[in-house]
């Protein structure tokens, strides 16, 4: 029976499946077929095995589970006939993968097949091995493959080469065995062997530096010659693709040259000629030619500098950019991104074309072009580029707006030459795409605004005008409302007019109108409404004539269903009505926010936020979602911490001042963070002691956590406010001191409580100190920084520290900072250790240490046991 | 490395051939195929043939009713992969004679054999159509 006339049965099944109209029908057909296949398998039906397997493969492709067929594959592979073996191997590669244990059973069959007389079968086995072998199989069969690399048949050699690639990927240290044979492959004539040989050499260079050196010395000339011959070769019908002989081989050889030349000037020199030849002579009207040119340019960019070649490469890219084929433009943009780091001048010349690409209809090209534009921006061209981008923002697609906005904001922030321009651009961006702007960005804007006192009036007026036109942009409304609150009297009084402005008249009533619309509009979200309430409070002091009206609006919010708004409304109402005397002091102008600290904080405080949520959540006893703390102390809402979104890392800082965060689902941290900030402010305003409730919960925290080193020295009254987010507390405390120390906090230290350092080991000659920190979020792992100090007058060399731990601990030692210890404590060596305690909480750490060093020409050995680790590690 | 997968999908989104060079389980495959196919099928003629998806790129080309999608690493030369796709199609054309979607469907194992001769472990093995087709023609003669 002809096994490959399986056509009818397989064909019938395929027809049946195609005829199914619904997914349920298809499932039914497949289930029936699977059942019959399973029956056939259990009967050990020899005739239909291959057919069943073919059907199984089809079913697998459709996405149904087919593991019952795996043993069938094995049986088929073991059978003597070629067709059965063929389909068995095919099934093996499709249905199995390297993680299955069944694969081990195949190893023996593959080994026999590798030694088979029929070279096609050898080829099959190599193919299978190359596609899915695991590390053990690789080790077992490596010698066979090595032998086959020198086989007489080129087809076998090429497959053996690819198999070798997989083997050395799985078991890198076997690479050395193959170096010589791989080099020999490059001297072949057969293109298949050449392609795979080049691929093998490229991969070996990545895996083993020894191989890299070898190839660079011995094979470079050979490869260059090969490429030259290939480029000059006459028409060869076998390998010809659109007029070029075997472009794929060209590309592989170029890739090999790339790897060999990278970082080595001599090698790069010897390649120059052939690269120049390929770059200039290849035809560019067909895709194959362009593919070769692209690879050539990529190689030129990555080898050592040769002025002429680089210029050539950038010119080619310029030509690509103006081509009409989208593929080529895409590829050119990609390459230009890498070229920028090497030669930005050349790329600047093509700025106009790149800008055009940002507006292209094709999404992939737009994305690439935008990234490239961002890399191109520098001080001189920031203004025109930004103008172009902002103009485009108005007409761009919604999906693209997000990316575009983010990039524009980044550019504006980095390169704005003056604050006026910055504010202008941001107002434009906010009016167009405010909803896509991230929180950090508009927070940063506010920081800048406060830092430009001469522009306050201008800013508030510009924002007012902008909001009239586009009041559905949420962030624009927020920023405007905040500014009106702060600088309301400038708006009305037209104070601080700049020359370029037209005067506008805004009455107090109109300003209050704006805020009222913002608060009443039902599309405003919680943050906006809360900000409006605060702004109203400030305005009630700045616009005495409207005080009654403002009070009415605030009163109205008293009945709001949202707790946050209700609370604020009640508080503010109480201030307006009963505490009129202190009101003006309360709502004085905000102090100027320090930009440098803000940006530093933003960069460094993301981990702090994360650890906050992890560290303090369990500690708070009341799980009630109470976003703000006791009423009286929360006047300026200094404390609300936005825990969830990492984007509010900087928002932490400003949220406090803007009184923003309202994430109702973060009970714990919100409760404790406000107290830190408000404590500072209480001090400032001498309003009074915090209510008993907040102080008791503060004390809870004090007792449950250990002192955090960083919080000491800041406002000693409330010094040991131990929170895991030291950064947020310290910066809030520092409201008076100009927002001092923040940022650059190593993650390890902010995660969880800290432990005092101990002197682990001390002898008359040596002192070892251990500093502890915990990895945030992982209480079982401790990071120990060991510091070794030399107490004797001799210099110690060959300093080696070894440690051993009991079974319930896992120790990982990182390399030491050095192995020479200067005398008498003039320097130290540090080494990091990571210890994981599987019995965390039950057993504390113990460690035996042994220290070896050479002093005065003789070897010294010290050892000891350390058991004074702090509890709880 | 290099090529991660090769898919042939028709215009309705049904997979006609799937060869993966890295391990993905069944649900992942389905999800992957669904996402990528949706992205590629919705693009029009003028747009470029490269789509970025997660951490790799998909190079695709449409031949009659069949889309050929090849997923590659980010460092791979996209234009070269386009050439490779064309080579694959031409090889199948030479073997089946005016290949169409049904040919691939009903002779799935032959299509797989061809692909296997051309790509191994994600790397291109052979670019000569004669060399690729010779084992397959031998097989046909033997049966």
């Amino acid at each position: 029976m002809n096994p490959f006339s399986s056509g009818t049965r397989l064909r019938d099944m395929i027809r049946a499946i195609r005829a199914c109209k619904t997914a349920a029908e298809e499932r039914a057909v497949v289930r029936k077929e699977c059942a019959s296949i399973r029956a056939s398998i259990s009967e050990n039906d020899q005739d239909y095995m291959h057919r069943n397997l073919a059907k199984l493969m089809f079913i697998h492709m459709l996405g149904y589970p087919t593991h019952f067929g795996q043993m069938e594959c094995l049986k088929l592979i073991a059978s003597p006939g070629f067709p059965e073996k063929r389909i068995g191997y095919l099934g093996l590669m499709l249905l199995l993968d390297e993680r299955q244990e069944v694969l081990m059973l195949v190893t023996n069959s593959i080994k026999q097949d590798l030694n088979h007389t029929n070279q096609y079968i050898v080829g099959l086995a190599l193919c299978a091995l190359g596609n899915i072998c695991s590390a053990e199989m690789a080790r077992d069969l490596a010698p066979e493959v090595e032998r086959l690399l020198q086989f007489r048949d080129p087809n076998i050699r090429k497959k053996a080469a690819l198999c070798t690639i997989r083997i050395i990927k799985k078991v890198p240290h076997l690479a050395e065995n193959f170096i010589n044979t791989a080099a020999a492959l490059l001297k072949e004539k057969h293109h298949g062997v050449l392609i795979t040989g080049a691929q093998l050499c490229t991969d070996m260079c990545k895996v083993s530096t020894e191989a890299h050196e070898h190839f660079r010395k011995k094979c470079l000339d050979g490869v260059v010659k090969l490429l030259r011959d290939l480029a000059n070769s006459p028409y060869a019908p076998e390998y010809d693709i659109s007029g070029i002989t075997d472009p794929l081989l060209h590309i592989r050889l170029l890739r090999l040259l790339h790897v060999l030349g990278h970082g080595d000037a001599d090698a790069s020199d010897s390649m120059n000629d052939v690269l120049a030849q390929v770059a200039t002579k290849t035809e560019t009207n067909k895709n194959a030619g362009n593919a070769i040119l692209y690879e050539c340019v990529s190689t030129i960019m990555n080898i050592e500098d040769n002025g002429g070649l680089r210029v050539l490469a950038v010119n080619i890219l310029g030509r690509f950019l103006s081509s009409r084929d989208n593929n080529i433009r895409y590829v050119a943009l990609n390459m230009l991104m890498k070229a920028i780091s090497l030669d930005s001048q050349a790329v600047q010349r093509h700025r106009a074309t790149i800008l055009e690409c940002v507006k292209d209809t094709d999404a992939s090209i737009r994305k690439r072009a935008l990234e490239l534009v961002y890399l191109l921006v520098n001080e001189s061209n920031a203004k025109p580029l930004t103008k172009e981008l902002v103009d485009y923002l108005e007409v761009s697609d919604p999906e693209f707006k997000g990316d575009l906005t983010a990039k524009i904001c980044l550019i504006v922030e980095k390169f704005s030459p003056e604050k006026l321009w910055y504010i202008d651009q941001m107002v434009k961006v906010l009016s167009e795409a405010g909803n896509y702007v991230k929180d950090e960005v508009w927070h940063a804007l506010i920081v800048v605004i406060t830092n430009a006192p001469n522009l306050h009036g201008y800013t508030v007026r510009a924002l007012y005008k902008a909001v009239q036109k586009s009041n559905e942009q949420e962030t624009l409304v927020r920023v405007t409302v905040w500014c009106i609150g702060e600088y309301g009297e400038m708006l009305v009084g037209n104070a601080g007019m700049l020359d370029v402005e037209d005067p506008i008249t805004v009455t107090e009533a109109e300003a209050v109108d704006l805020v009222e619309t913002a608060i009443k509009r039902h599309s405003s979200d919680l943050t906006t409404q809360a900000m409006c309430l605060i702004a109203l409070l400030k305005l009630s002091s700045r616009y005495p004539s409207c005080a009654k009206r403002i009070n009415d609006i605030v009163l109205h919010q008293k009945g709001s269903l949202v707790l946050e708004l209700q609370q604020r409304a009640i508080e503010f109402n109480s201030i307006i009505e009963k505490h009129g005397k202190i009101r003006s002091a309360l709502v004085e102008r905000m102090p100027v926010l320090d930009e440098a600290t803000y940006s530093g904080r933003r960069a460094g405080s993301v981990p702090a936020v994360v650890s906050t949520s992890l560290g303090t959540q369990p500690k708070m006893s009341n799980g009630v979602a109470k976003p703000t703390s006791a009423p009286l102390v929360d006047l300026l809402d200094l404390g609300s911490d936005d825990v969830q979104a990492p984007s509010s890392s900087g928002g932490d800082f400003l949220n406090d001042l803007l009184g923003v965060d309202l994430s109702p689902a973060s009970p714990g941290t919100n409760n404790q963070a406000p107290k830190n900030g408000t404590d500072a402010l209480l001090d400032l305003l001498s309003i009074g002691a915090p209510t008993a409730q907040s102080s008791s919960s503060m004390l809870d925290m004090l007792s449950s956590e250990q002192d955090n080193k960083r919080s000491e020295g800041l406002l000693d009254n409330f010094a040991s406010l131990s929170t895991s987010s030291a950064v947020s507390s310290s910066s809030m405390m520092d409201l008076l001191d100009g927002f001092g120390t923040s940022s650059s906090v190593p993650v390890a230290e902010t995660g969880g409580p800290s432990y005092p350092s101990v002197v682990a080991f001390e002898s008359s000659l040596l002192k070892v100190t251990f500093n502890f920190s915990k990895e945030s979020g992982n209480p079982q792992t401790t990071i120990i920084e060991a510091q070794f100090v030399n107490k004797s007058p001799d210099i110690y060399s060959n300093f080696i520290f070894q440690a051993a731990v009991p079974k319930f601990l896992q120790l990982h030692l990182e390399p030491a900072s050095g192995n020479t210890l200067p005398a008498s404590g003039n320097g130290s060596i540090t080494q990091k250790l990571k210890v994981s305690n599987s019995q965390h909480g039950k057993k504390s750490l113990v460690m035996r240490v042994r220290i070896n060093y050479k002093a005065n020409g003789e070897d010294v050995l010290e050892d000891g046991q350390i058991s004074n680790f702090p509890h709880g590690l | 490395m290099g090529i991660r997968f090769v898919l042939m999908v028709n215009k309705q989104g049904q997979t006609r051939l799937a060869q993966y060079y890295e391990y993905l389980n069944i649900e992942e495959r389905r999800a992957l195929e669904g996402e990528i196919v949706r992205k590629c099928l919705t693009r029009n003629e003028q747009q470029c043939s490269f789509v970025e998806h997660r951490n790799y790129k998909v190079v695709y080309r449409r031949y009659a009713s069949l889309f050929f999608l090849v997923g590659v690493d980010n460092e791979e030369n996209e234009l070269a992969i386009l050439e490779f796709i064309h080579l694959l199609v031409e090889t199948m054309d030479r073997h089946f004679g005016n290949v169409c979607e049904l040919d691939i469907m009903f002779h799935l194992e032959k299509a797989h054999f061809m692909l296997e001769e051309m790509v191994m472990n994600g790397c291109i093995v052979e670019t000569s159509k004669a060399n690729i087709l010779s084992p397959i023609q031998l097989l046909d003669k033997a049966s």
Side-chain angles (χ1 to χ4, degrees):
Chain A
M1 143 90 84
N2 184 346
F4 278 101
S5 70
S6 66
T8 28
R9 273 280 199 94
L10 175 63
R11 199 169 274 213
D12 288 340
M13 182 187 87
I14 297 181
R15 282 216 189 94
I17 291 182
R18 262 169 67 93
C20 292
K21 297 281 188 301
T22 67
E25 268 185 64
E26 183 182 300
R27 275 198 294 271
V29 171
V30 169
R31 221 174 312 150
K32 214 166 49 132
E33 286 291 343
C34 284
S36 74
I37 293 178
R38 262 189 287 237
S40 169
I41 290 179
S42 51
E43 284 165 27
N44 230 339
D45 188 348
Q46 296 291 340
D47 296 333
Y48 292 132
M49 264 207 289
H50 46 272
R51 195 182 282 187
N52 289 337
L53 200 58
K55 283 194 267 188
L56 265 181
M57 286 192 302
F58 193 86
I59 293 176
H60 178 79
M61 188 179 76
L62 291 176
Y64 299 95
T66 48
H67 29 263
F68 53 85
Q70 287 170 2
M71 291 309 291
E72 278 299 284
C73 296
L74 268 62
K75 280 191 226 149
L76 276 170
I77 291 176
S79 53
F82 182 67
E84 282 90 6
K85 270 196 200 284
R86 191 73 186 86
I87 207 151
Y89 272 114
L90 187 60
L92 182 75
M93 276 181 282
L94 284 177
L95 302 177
L96 277 96
D97 60 84
E98 64 183 60
R99 302 182 201 181
Q100 310 265 8
E101 295 87 23
V102 176
L103 207 53
M104 298 304 295
L105 300 174
V106 184
T107 316
N108 206 19
S109 306
I110 294 188
K111 188 159 189 190
Q112 286 178 339
D113 283 338
L114 280 177
N115 290 320
H116 209 276
T117 42
N118 183 339
Q119 61 178 15
Y120 288 104
I121 295 187
V122 178
L124 278 184
L126 276 172
C127 215
L129 201 62
N131 274 327
I132 57 171
C133 82
S134 58
E136 291 83 26
M137 286 172 76
R139 239 172 268 146
D140 290 336
L141 296 169
E144 302 287 328
V145 177
E146 200 177 333
R147 181 179 58 85
L148 287 169
L149 266 175
Q150 291 150 344
F151 204 75
R152 50 188 163 73
D153 183 7
N155 287 321
I156 301 294
R157 283 204 297 268
K158 77 185 185 208
K159 293 194 183 178
L162 276 180
C163 209
T164 319
I165 296 182
R166 192 171 173 105
I167 291 180
I168 56 180
K169 282 236 180 79
K170 291 282 168 195
V171 190
H173 69 81
L174 285 178
E176 282 86 36
N177 309 355
F178 291 102
I179 293 184
N180 286 321
T181 28
L185 282 178
L186 285 174
K187 303 201 177 75
E188 302 267 347
K189 293 267 184 286
H190 188 265
H191 282 223
V193 182
L194 279 175
I195 283 191
T196 53
Q199 185 70 41
L200 176 58
C201 293
T202 320
D203 282 326
M204 282 180 85
C205 290
K206 288 197 202 129
V207 163
S208 138
T209 40
E210 194 192 313
H212 198 156
E213 285 309 310
H214 178 99
F215 289 133
R216 201 179 266 164
K217 277 189 229 116
K218 304 275 179 56
C219 309
L220 190 56
D221 297 327
V223 175
V224 169
K225 185 168 177 306
L226 261 177
L227 189 55
R228 195 174 300 141
D229 290 342
L230 193 60
N232 292 333
S233 69
Y235 178 71
E238 253 317 290
Y239 293 105
D240 182 83
I241 294 184
S242 37
I244 305 180
T245 319
D246 209 346
L248 292 168
L249 179 59
H250 268 105
I251 293 173
R252 277 278 166 263
L253 289 174
L254 281 167
R255 185 63 67 80
L256 181 56
L257 285 177
H258 169 158
V259 170
L260 289 178
H262 183 67
D264 184 312
D266 293 329
S268 313
D269 279 336
S270 37
M271 296 180 206
N272 279 342
D273 295 333
V274 74
L275 284 175
Q277 180 189 350
V278 171
T280 42
K281 288 226 186 118
T282 320
E283 295 181 9
T284 54
N285 47 2
K286 289 287 170 61
N287 187 43
N290 286 327
I292 295 181
L293 275 178
Y294 178 44
E295 192 65 39
C296 199
V297 168
S298 164
T299 308
I300 293 177
M301 286 296 163
N302 278 298
I303 61 178
E304 293 312 305
D305 186 87
N306 177 326
L309 273 186
R310 287 265 168 90
V311 170
L312 190 56
V314 177
N315 285 344
I316 295 180
L317 286 178
R319 240 183 17 232
F320 274 7
L321 261 187
S322 32
S323 142
R324 275 191 305 165
D325 185 349
N326 279 340
N327 292 341
I328 299 193
R329 277 199 291 168
Y330 177 89
V331 147
L333 286 171
N334 227 353
M335 200 79 257
L336 279 173
M337 289 219 301
K338 297 195 194 125
I340 259 206
S341 52
L342 301 164
D343 186 0
S344 59
Q345 275 310 94
V347 185
Q348 291 281 358
R349 256 178 266 139
H350 300 287
R351 203 172 61 220
T353 338
I354 298 175
L355 258 177
E356 281 311 305
C357 289
V358 176
K359 306 178 190 163
D360 200 271
T361 43
D362 185 325
S364 310
I365 290 192
R366 275 206 299 256
K367 208 153 75 146
R368 282 264 161 259
L370 185 60
E371 282 182 37
L372 192 52
V373 164
Y374 177 63
L375 287 172
L376 273 179
V377 170
N378 57 29
E379 281 77 28
S380 51
N381 58 21
K383 277 200 182 170
L385 269 180
T386 321
K387 180 170 175 324
E388 288 266 356
L389 289 177
V390 171
D391 289 337
Y392 180 55
L393 188 57
E394 296 171 25
V395 299
S396 63
D397 296 332
E399 311 95 46
F400 195 49
K401 261 196 180 151
D403 285 337
L404 193 50
T405 322
K407 281 284 176 335
I408 295 179
C409 296
L410 276 171
I411 295 178
V412 168
E413 230 178 287
K414 260 171 76 175
F415 293 107
S416 55
E418 60 205 4
K419 296 208 161 61
L420 177 57
W421 184 79
Y422 180 96
I423 293 176
D424 265 340
Q425 298 302 316
M426 286 310 294
V427 169
K428 274 199 212 133
V429 170
L430 284 178
S431 326
E432 274 310 318
N435 291 331
Y436 296 99
V437 172
K438 292 209 188 63
D439 288 339
E440 312 177 297
V441 176
W442 61 270
H443 292 165
L445 174 60
I446 292 188
V447 173
V448 170
I449 293 178
T450 54
N451 269 309
N454 51 332
L455 295 175
H456 286 165
Y458 171 74
T459 315
V460 70
R461 281 186 289 272
L463 284 169
Y464 181 80
K465 284 185 231 170
V467 160
Q468 304 289 10
K469 278 186 248 133
S470 40
N471 62 351
E472 68 282 354
Q473 300 292 348
E474 205 64 39
T475 25
L476 180 62
V477 172
R478 283 183 208 164
V479 177
T480 314
V481 156
W482 189 87
C483 286
I484 291 182
E486 277 293 297
Y487 312 121
E489 71 279 11
M490 290 187 141
L491 174 63
V492 176
N494 265 335
M497 287 280 294
L498 298 180
D499 303 326
V500 295
E501 275 189 79
D502 312 314
I504 60 168
T505 36
V506 183
T507 64
E508 294 180 353
E510 283 170 359
V512 177
D513 275 343
L514 196 149
V515 183
E516 191 177 353
T517 359
I519 207 178
K520 292 235 169 94
R521 197 177 45 212
H522 57 80
S523 63
S524 298
D525 69 355
L526 194 50
T527 320
T528 320
Q529 288 178 322
M531 288 179 80
C532 290
L533 276 174
I534 291 229
L536 283 173
L537 176 65
K538 296 179 192 167
L539 285 180
S540 77
S541 160
R542 304 203 212 284
Y543 294 168
S545 58
C546 298
K548 175 84 180 49
R549 181 177 162 202
I550 292 178
N551 200 15
D552 285 337
I553 304 176
V554 173
L555 267 176
H556 179 78
Q557 290 297 319
K558 252 188 179 178
S560 155
L561 292 172
V562 178
L563 182 59
E564 172 73 20
L565 294 179
Q566 198 186 79
Q567 183 158 15
R568 288 187 189 217
I570 295 177
E571 292 166 19
F572 297 162
N573 185 41
S574 138
I575 298 178
I576 295 178
E577 287 180 357
K578 297 182 208 139
H579 302 279
K581 291 190 281 297
I582 59 168
R583 184 177 53 177
S584 45
L586 276 179
V587 297
E588 264 176 17
R589 225 18 99 67
M590 282 278 184
V592 171
L593 306 168
D594 184 3
E595 288 176 276
T597 330
Y598 172 64
S599 49
R601 177 129 193 279
R602 217 166 105 190
S605 64
V606 175
V609 179
V610 173
S611 53
T612 314
S613 56
L614 290 174
T616 54
Q617 284 276 15
K619 306 248 191 284
M620 298 314 294
S621 45
N622 66 332
V624 173
K626 198 161 167 257
T628 52
S629 61
L632 205 68
V633 300
D634 205 22
L635 290 173
L636 285 178
D637 253 351
L638 265 185
S640 359
D641 227 354
D642 195 349
V643 175
Q644 321 299 26
S647 67
S648 65
S649 51
D652 247 2
F653 181 82
L654 263 178
N655 272 334
D656 321 330
L657 287 150
L658 302 177
V660 174
D661 159 57
L662 307 159
S663 38
S666 46
T669 31
N670 280 331
N671 258 323
Q672 52 129 345
K675 293 169 193 65
N676 312 337
T678 48
D679 297 325
L681 199 56
L682 290 180
D683 220 20
L684 167 65
L685 301 175
S686 339
I687 287 185
T691 58
Q693 165 203 16
S694 40
S695 63
S696 62
S697 36
M698 234 184 355
L699 287 174
D700 278 343
M701 280 187 291
L702 280 179
S703 52
S704 57
E705 290 180 71
Q706 295 185 14
D707 246 331
N708 189 324
K709 292 183 258 187
R710 209 152 305 96
S711 50
E712 55 192 356
L714 300 166
L715 283 185
D716 293 327
N717 305 359
F718 305 95
S720 47
L721 262 188
S722 47
T723 65
S724 38
S725 82
V727 186
S728 55
S729 67
S730 64
S731 61
M732 272 188 273
M733 296 300 237
D734 255 344
L735 190 57
L736 293 176
D737 303 344
F739 309 98
T741 58
S742 61
S743 78
S744 51
V745 173
V747 180
E749 290 191 328
T750 56
S754 66
Y755 300 91
S757 51
V758 295
V759 175
F761 176 80
E762 189 161 7
S763 71
S764 57
L765 305 166
L766 186 64
K767 180 167 146 187
V768 183
T769 323
F770 279 177
N771 292 318
F772 303 101
S773 48
K774 285 268 190 203
E775 245 176 331
S776 59
N778 194 351
Q780 288 186 339
T781 309
T782 314
I783 300 178
I784 305 177
E785 210 182 76
Q787 202 179 24
F788 307 103
V789 174
N790 184 347
K791 286 166 80 169
S792 82
D794 302 322
I795 300 183
Y796 296 159
S797 57
N798 296 10
F799 190 89
I800 296 181
F801 169 76
Q802 292 165 312
V805 290
K807 287 234 172 71
F808 62 87
L809 296 173
Q810 262 181 333
L811 175 65
H812 177 76
L813 272 171
E814 298 198 8
S817 63
N819 58 3
T820 310
L821 200 52
S824 309
N826 280 337
S828 64
I829 295 180
T830 50
Q831 191 163 7
K832 259 207 186 133
L833 299 85
K834 226 191 228 187
V835 183
S836 280
N837 186 353
S838 59
Q839 306 257 6
H840 175 72
K842 292 178 225 148
K843 288 194 189 168
S844 49
L845 302 184
V846 294
M847 198 186 281
R848 282 194 80 90
V849 297
R850 174 185 289 209
I851 306 175
N852 270 316
Y853 53 86
K854 208 168 175 139
N856 248 345
E858 40 179 62
D859 288 314
V860 182
L861 172 67
E862 305 204 21
D863 56 1
Q865 178 158 331
I866 308 175
S867 31
N868 56 345
F869 284 98
H871 207 58
L873 271 183
Chain B
M1 97 117 278
I3 300 181
R4 304 244 186 142
F5 57 82
V6 178
L7 291 174
M8 293 184 203
V9 181
N10 75 359
K11 283 206 278 206
Q12 280 80 41
Q14 296 171 311
T15 314
R16 292 298 171 215
L17 183 144
Q19 176 78 285
Y20 287 84
Y21 296 101
E22 53 169 5
Y23 176 64
L24 287 173
N25 61 25
I26 296 261
E27 293 82 38
E28 283 173 24
R29 282 187 200 196
R30 275 187 155 177
L32 178 75
E33 283 171 30
E35 282 173 32
I36 292 188
V37 164
R38 223 174 305 135
K39 267 193 190 175
C40 294
L41 259 54
T42 47
R43 289 163 78 85
N44 63 19
E45 286 295 312
Q46 277 73 38
Q47 293 178 314
C48 77
S49 305
F50 316 122
V51 174
E52 286 174 38
H53 180 81
R54 300 207 197 150
N55 58 341
Y56 46 78
K57 290 192 269 225
V58 177
V59 180
Y60 73 93
R61 193 171 258 188
R62 187 179 84 93
Y63 288 87
S65 64
L66 210 55
F67 279 84
F68 286 75
L69 293 89
V70 179
V72 290
D73 292 332
N74 272 321
E75 298 88 38
E76 195 70 35
N77 182 339
E78 300 91 343
L79 299 176
I81 299 293
L82 272 179
E83 284 305 311
F84 164 71
I85 294 179
H86 194 71
L87 184 68
L88 178 61
V89 174
E90 279 192 358
T91 313
M92 286 201 287
D93 195 54
R94 200 195 268 197
H95 180 81
F96 290 113
N98 246 347
V99 66
C100 65
E101 188 187 337
L102 288 178
D103 280 328
I104 299 181
M105 267 184 70
F106 285 111
H107 298 281
L108 189 58
E109 70 275 3
K110 296 240 185 74
H112 264 116
F113 295 159
M114 253 182 278
L115 190 53
E116 223 163 82
E117 291 290 322
M118 291 177 78
V119 183
M120 210 169 104
N121 195 23
C123 312
I124 299 178
V125 175
E126 181 63 67
T127 49
S128 148
K129 296 193 258 283
N131 285 350
I132 296 172
L133 291 176
S134 70
I136 303 178
Q137 281 158 352
L138 216 66
L139 203 63
D140 284 342
K141 252 190 269 177
S143 54

